[in-house]
Amino acid sequence: QVQLVESGGGSVQPGGSLRLSCATSGVIFSSFDMGWYRQAPGKQRDLVAHITRGSSTSYANSVKGRFTISRDNAKNTVYLQMNSLKPEDTAVYYCNTKSGTRDYWGQGTQVTVSS
């Protein structure tokens, strides 16, 4: 059974930093691409960052230069380091992986950026 469990969210002031973690089980982690998505209230869920099994990365334009996605295959975990946070980064952040045509999601972790 595939499980993704996010952690590390919280409340932070503008300009602050957070690091999100997503621990996985039930998959051969090193063989899977991983992604971080976010969903703000009333908006669609959007891709924030993506990392391939070969550790190639890509980012949404809105977070380039501020967010960094990384993975630790020994710990079956993917991370999202978020720096210079802005109020518009406020959202629920979800970890994702895909196997064939199926999407797997974590439960999400809330990130709130506010003064």
Side-chain angles (χ1 to χ4, degrees), residues 22 24 29-30 51 55 70-79:
C22 173
T24 70
F29 178 76
S30 60
I51 186 166
S55 293
S70 61
R71 65 191 298 156
D72 185 337
N73 289 340
K75 295 183 178 180
N76 293 342
T77 300
V78 61
Y79 303 98

Side-chain angles (χ1 to χ4, degrees), residues 31-78:
S31 298
F32 285 77
D33 297 349
M34 301 295 299
W36 282 99
Y37 288 71
R38 68 186 181 188
Q39 187 168 22
K43 296 190 176 181
Q44 67 180 21
R45 191 174 297 186
D46 291 325
L47 179 64
V48 174
H50 182 263
I51 186 166
T52 69
R53 56 188 179 181
S55 293
S56 295
T57 59
S58 58
Y59 299 91
N61 286 336
S62 59
V63 307
K64 278 182 182 176
R66 299 188 298 121
F67 290 13
T68 302
I69 189 172
S70 61
R71 65 191 298 156
D72 185 337
N73 289 340
K75 295 183 178 180
N76 293 342
T77 300
V78 61

Side-chain angles (χ1 to χ4, degrees), residues 1-5 22-29 75-76 97 104:
Q1 181 179 359
V2 179
Q3 286 191 315
L4 308 176
V5 180
C22 173
T24 70
S25 60
V27 294
I28 302 173
F29 178 76
K75 295 183 178 180
N76 293 342
T97 192
Y104 295 94

Side-chain angles (χ1 to χ4, degrees), residues 79-91:
Y79 303 98
L80 185 67
Q81 178 67 45
M82 306 186 294
N83 298 328
S84 302
L85 283 162
K86 304 176 181 180
E88 51 263 43
D89 295 318
T90 295

